[in-house]
Amino acid sequence: MNEPLAIKLKPKTLKDILGQESLIGRDKIIFNMVKNKKIFSMILYGEPGIGKTSIATAIVNDLGMNYRFLNAVIHKKQDFDIVIEEAKMYDGIILIVDEIHRLNKDKQDILLPCLESGLITLIGLTTSNPYHAINPAIRSRCQIFKLEPLSEENILIGLKRAIKTEYLKDINISNDALKYIAKISKYDLRFAYNLLEVAYYYNKDHSINVEIIKSINNTTVITGDKNEESYYNSLSGLQKSIRGSDVNAALHYLAQLLIMEDLSIIFRRLCVICYEDIGLANPSIGPKLNAVINACERVGLPEARIPLSNIVIEMCLSPKSNSAYLAIDKAMNEIKEHAVGDVPSIIKSPNIGYLYPHNYPNSLVKQNYMPDKIKDSIYYYPKETSKYEKSLKEVYEKINKIIK
């Protein structure tokens, strides 16, 4: 069987795992679970190639427990039924489910009672944020662990281990080439192993240098990565440039991020900027950004740079307002810092004294909706940086005047 190198080098135990010290390091949570022979249902999430499947299989290997591996997309409901029957035979089983965010309702319905009873211990794997992508009923029955991106040093250690194995016999690779592979692998160990294996068969004598790697994969390398301060400086530069309406600086930082070829982090940051820095000054920018994201996902790179350039320029030149962002933060801080009390009785029991606004002129009637202790608190202070928020301010002030 022509197994890829990444499969051949898959870790057998937790000791073989690279990175993730916060979870599997000595006396950390997963380390102690295995040490104490007690495992709970969990969801492991993080980017591709950073060790989710490896940690899951290492856990079951270290525990020596019966387990099955299913994919939420590929495997059918009948496959899950079979695992449940096996679990009854063995008095329990560990079920590893890849792409768990794609688990449909039928499969969820048969799994939930088994998770509830402990018949099945689930280890779910996903690249998506489980707090958004996974059914709350599944999520509430699992501990959620986020895996961090691997560092270049982690990747380099993995590559140095690989070249010492029987699978790359007589390999002759320079240290610079190993470092270059680690640099362009973007924290994906599987990608690094696959690239190393292709390079191994490039020449009959298995000699590898940086130029050979570049001829196979011409990814542009720039200074900075997700584990280095400079990467986050580029993201911060993008946001601050848009906030400061500097089109050229924003395009510069967008270009840096595009060269890193990580669209998802650009999308997330632009969404934050859209609502934190532009907000109510230009509400149309949100739907426009969503349209751009859809276009980028459809065309991919390198073409995605074009719609992104359009939206970044428009965001730079848009009026700005952080009034909504400041308002919700002020409301949340008040709740955290003070015992604000319960909601008013007219809200809890609307039959007792509640006045239905639609029965009154302008659909307005004076009554207190806030907890009594903070009934005079004000969170929203409109800005006048755009016609739209000026109009909101007029309505806001008119409402306050009528009800007072």
Side-chain angles (χ1 to χ4, degrees):
M1 189 174 182
N2 189 26
E3 283 186 329
L5 181 65
I7 298 297
K8 294 173 182 175
L9 297 177
K10 188 171 284 294
K12 301 291 192 299
T13 72
L14 287 179
K15 292 179 181 178
D16 300 327
I17 301 289
L18 291 168
Q20 313 310 330
E21 285 295 317
S22 63
L23 295 176
I24 65 171
R26 179 166 293 278
D27 292 330
K28 301 302 181 181
I29 180 63
I30 293 179
F31 176 92
N32 283 340
M33 281 185 187
V34 172
K35 177 183 175 182
N36 297 323
K37 303 293 182 182
K38 181 65 177 178
I39 194 72
F40 300 92
S41 289
M42 67 179 75
I43 294 169
L44 305 176
Y45 82 101
E47 297 178 30
I50 63 174
K52 298 182 294 295
T53 305
S54 295
I55 288 178
T57 52
I59 287 171
V60 294
N61 287 338
D62 283 343
L63 289 172
M65 295 181 68
N66 294 308
Y67 77 97
R68 293 292 178 267
F69 190 101
L70 297 178
N71 183 293
V73 178
I74 297 171
H75 291 97
K76 299 178 180 178
K77 180 176 176 290
Q78 293 90 324
D79 298 309
F80 286 81
D81 287 328
I82 291 170
V83 172
I84 291 171
E85 292 305 312
E86 285 186 287
K88 292 175 181 176
M89 291 172 51
Y90 294 125
D91 194 26
I93 203 168
I94 295 179
L95 174 60
I96 302 172
V97 179
D98 198 11
E99 296 191 77
I100 193 170
H101 62 283
R102 303 284 294 277
L103 202 66
N104 65 28
K105 189 175 185 303
D106 286 347
K107 296 168 189 174
Q108 290 173 22
D109 288 344
I110 63 171
L111 273 182
L112 283 172
C114 300
L115 296 181
E116 192 74 40
S117 67
L119 182 65
I120 284 180
T121 301
L122 175 69
I123 303 180
L125 313 176
T126 179
T127 55
S128 298
N129 187 331
Y131 295 102
H132 302 305
I134 293 179
N135 182 294
I138 295 284
R139 200 173 64 225
S140 69
R141 290 164 173 81
C142 299
Q143 297 297 314
I144 297 176
F145 299 121
K146 181 180 180 182
L147 275 64
E148 298 300 327
L150 296 175
S151 66
E152 282 183 27
E153 185 60 31
N154 293 146
I155 302 290
L156 192 57
I157 290 171
L159 291 170
K160 288 180 177 179
R161 286 182 187 175
I163 63 176
K164 294 178 181 178
T165 65
E166 59 182 314
Y167 309 117
L168 299 174
K169 190 176 179 181
D170 298 324
I171 189 172
N172 179 18
I173 184 169
S174 69
N175 199 47
D176 285 344
L178 286 174
K179 289 180 178 179
Y180 186 79
I181 294 173
K183 171 72 79 173
I184 66 174
S185 293
K186 301 184 188 303
Y187 333 107
D188 184 335
L189 185 59
R190 182 170 50 233
F191 174 91
Y193 285 156
N194 290 340
L195 181 54
L196 178 65
E197 186 174 26
V198 172
Y200 176 73
Y201 290 103
Y202 188 90
N203 292 319
K204 286 185 178 181
D205 63 357
H206 307 307
S207 60
I208 305 170
N209 57 35
V210 173
E211 293 308 313
I212 288 174
I213 301 299
K214 286 182 177 179
S215 70
I216 298 169
N217 187 293
N218 62 357
T219 300
T220 304
V221 177
I222 68 172
T223 302
D225 62 51
K226 293 178 195 174
N227 290 324
E228 293 176 2
E229 186 179 353
S230 55
Y231 185 91
Y232 290 100
N233 284 344
S234 296
L235 289 169
S236 180
L238 177 66
Q239 181 161 9
K240 289 181 172 66
S241 298
I242 293 175
R243 183 185 295 155
S245 303
D246 189 327
V247 173
N248 296 302
L251 289 172
H252 167 76
Y253 293 114
L254 175 64
Q256 283 195 6
L257 294 165
L258 284 169
I259 289 171
M260 296 181 199
E261 297 185 356
D262 190 344
L263 286 176
S264 61
I265 195 76
I266 297 173
F267 296 159
R268 288 196 295 272
R269 184 54 66 104
L270 288 178
C271 283
V272 171
I273 299 167
C274 174
Y275 293 99
E276 178 182 339
D277 294 306
I278 297 172
L280 295 172
N282 184 3
S284 67
I285 205 72
K288 287 182 179 179
L289 177 58
N290 280 334
V292 165
I293 291 172
N294 288 334
C296 291
E297 289 176 338
R298 187 168 297 172
V299 302
L301 286 169
E303 288 82 0
R305 75 191 188 284
I306 303 167
L308 282 171
S309 176
N310 277 262
I311 195 67
V312 164
I313 291 170
E314 186 170 356
M315 290 172 74
C316 277
L317 300 179
S318 170
K320 311 293 193 299
S321 173
N322 64 349
S323 58
Y325 159 68
L326 295 176
I328 190 61
D329 277 5
K330 188 173 181 182
M332 292 178 71
N333 287 334
E334 185 166 51
I335 292 169
K336 292 174 183 177
E337 294 171 6
H338 307 288
V340 297
D342 205 353
V343 297
S345 57
I346 62 167
I347 294 178
K348 290 189 294 183
S349 305
N351 293 330
I352 305 174
Y354 175 69
L355 303 177
Y356 191 56
H358 294 292
N359 291 337
Y360 296 84
N362 300 312
S363 296
L364 284 172
V365 60
K366 184 176 181 178
Q367 62 184 337
N368 182 42
Y369 299 100
M370 289 276 267
D372 288 337
K373 290 184 179 180
I374 57 168
K375 64 181 180 179
D376 296 322
S377 291
I378 297 174
Y379 306 130
Y380 176 53
Y381 293 90
K383 292 199 170 185
E384 297 186 4
T385 52
S386 71
K387 290 182 179 179
Y388 182 82
E389 195 164 11
K390 281 183 182 178
S391 68
L392 289 183
K393 180 182 179 183
E394 290 172 5
V395 174
Y396 184 58
E397 290 176 345
K398 183 178 179 181
I399 290 172
N400 288 334
K401 186 176 181 180
I402 290 173
I403 63 175
K404 286 179 181 179

